[in-house]
Amino acid sequence: MRAKILYLGILLLGFVSYAQQDSQYTQYMYNTIEVNPAYAGSRGVLSIFGLYRTQWVGLDGAPKTANVSVNTPIANSNLGLGVSFVNDAIGPTVENTISMDVSYSIPTSETYKLSFGVKGTANLFNIDPTKLSPETAADPVYLGLTKNNFFSPNVGAGVYFHSSKTYFGLSVPNVLETKRYADNTATFYKERMNAYLIAGHVFDLTDNLKFKPAVMTKMVQGAPLQVDVSGNFMFYEKLVLGLAWRWDAAVSAMAGFQVNKGLYIGYGYDRETTKLVNYNSGSHEIFLRYELFKKPERIVSPRFF
């Protein structure tokens, strides 16, 4: 029954072109390059990031996302480069996306920089009709589905204004509207333009306690506005604890630990606030970030974002 509920929802959402768009992350503030290419190289070091998210545990066919990215500044220049790979599985569909990011930063003061970024993306979309449970096996839309990979390129852009304690960003990771699967009668999945507005600031409450509120607003044509608000506390430059709220969707708990100067691990748990809470036990997200430092003075105080 749960599988039928999810598959029916995917079909209905797909036919009206409102299916889940860009991958969703609770701890997006540690994975900003996925939503804003201008972030590439902004940490000042080579940064390697890996994340796995399983959403709506207990609901058959629920989203599962794996993400790996690398970004770095280019020595003796204002350029930054990044590359990322995302595997997104939802019900009968699997998407594999690889992206390249280039950024250029301009110092605007002693503490702030304004960065501009562009993103190029290649996507392979796959649908397996054997995982669907149609009411009528002879449905022409169902019979027309294949297992072939559908390739679609895209481009995106973003701006990122930041210091070591504050950031603002505006971006559109995918500018082009693309059809991942379509025939003469229906569009099964259409990628719409997603626009992101992000902001955050780090407050030094004491010598050993920092507080970082952050917000992300996501706008998609034809879908409700999504707003994520979070607050994280960092204790002794090591332990991070926080809470987040996704408007009309979920509440989250987050934790992280700076294992050493280069390695940071994080975990997030989401609990739905919609009727979907009756069909799953929540969402889990875990990530690792490893950074390579060249100069000792760069690691006196770990970046909080």
Side-chain angles (χ1 to χ4, degrees), residues 66-287:
N67 171 225
V68 177
S69 67
V70 180
N71 76 93
T72 182
I74 301 302
N76 303 316
S77 76
N78 293 325
L79 293 172
L81 294 178
V83 60
S84 61
F85 173 78
V86 178
N87 174 270
D88 217 358
I90 307 176
T93 69
V94 176
E95 288 189 80
N96 290 297
T97 305
I98 186 169
S99 302
M100 295 289 295
D101 303 279
V102 180
S103 70
Y104 184 82
S105 298
I106 302 172
T108 58
S109 69
E110 292 184 359
T111 55
Y112 281 91
K113 290 183 179 180
L114 179 61
S115 301
F116 302 88
V118 293
K119 179 187 289 286
T121 299
N123 178 277
L124 283 176
F125 177 80
N126 179 281
I127 180 169
D128 185 352
T130 64
K131 294 182 179 180
L132 293 170
S133 301
E135 289 292 327
T136 304
D139 189 312
V141 174
Y142 171 76
L143 294 175
L145 298 177
T146 69
K147 296 183 180 181
N148 296 325
N149 283 309
F150 297 90
F151 172 78
S152 59
N154 218 314
V155 294
V159 293
Y160 187 62
F161 184 61
H162 58 101
S163 69
S164 62
K165 290 181 178 287
T166 305
Y167 67 88
F168 298 92
L170 178 63
S171 59
V172 181
N174 296 296
V175 173
L176 305 178
E177 183 179 281
T178 59
K179 295 179 180 179
R180 302 290 170 79
Y181 178 84
D183 59 21
N184 294 328
T185 60
T187 296
F188 185 83
Y189 189 105
K190 181 185 289 185
E191 175 73 15
R192 293 185 178 273
M193 186 172 66
N194 291 240
Y196 294 86
L197 177 64
I198 59 175
H201 181 76
V202 179
F203 294 93
D204 293 316
L205 301 183
T206 70
D207 291 342
N208 298 310
L209 178 61
K210 296 180 180 180
F211 172 60
K212 183 193 67 180
V215 62
M216 179 180 74
T217 301
K218 178 180 178 182
M219 296 155 281
V220 184
Q221 181 185 0
L225 182 71
Q226 178 178 308
V227 180
D228 286 49
V229 180
S230 64
N232 281 282
F233 291 90
M234 175 180 275
F235 303 87
Y236 294 93
E237 306 284 5
K238 285 288 187 180
L239 177 64
V240 176
L241 298 174
L243 296 173
W245 172 68
R246 185 173 301 119
W247 186 22
D248 283 344
V251 292
S252 309
M254 298 173 287
F257 188 72
Q258 192 77 42
V259 179
N260 54 43
K261 293 176 180 179
L263 180 62
Y264 182 82
I265 61 174
Y267 169 78
Y269 173 77
D270 297 356
R271 187 68 174 171
E272 289 292 312
T273 57
T274 67
K275 293 182 179 179
L276 197 58
V277 71
N278 298 317
Y279 302 98
N280 73 93
S281 59
S283 304
H284 300 270
E285 187 177 284
I286 186 169
F287 73 86

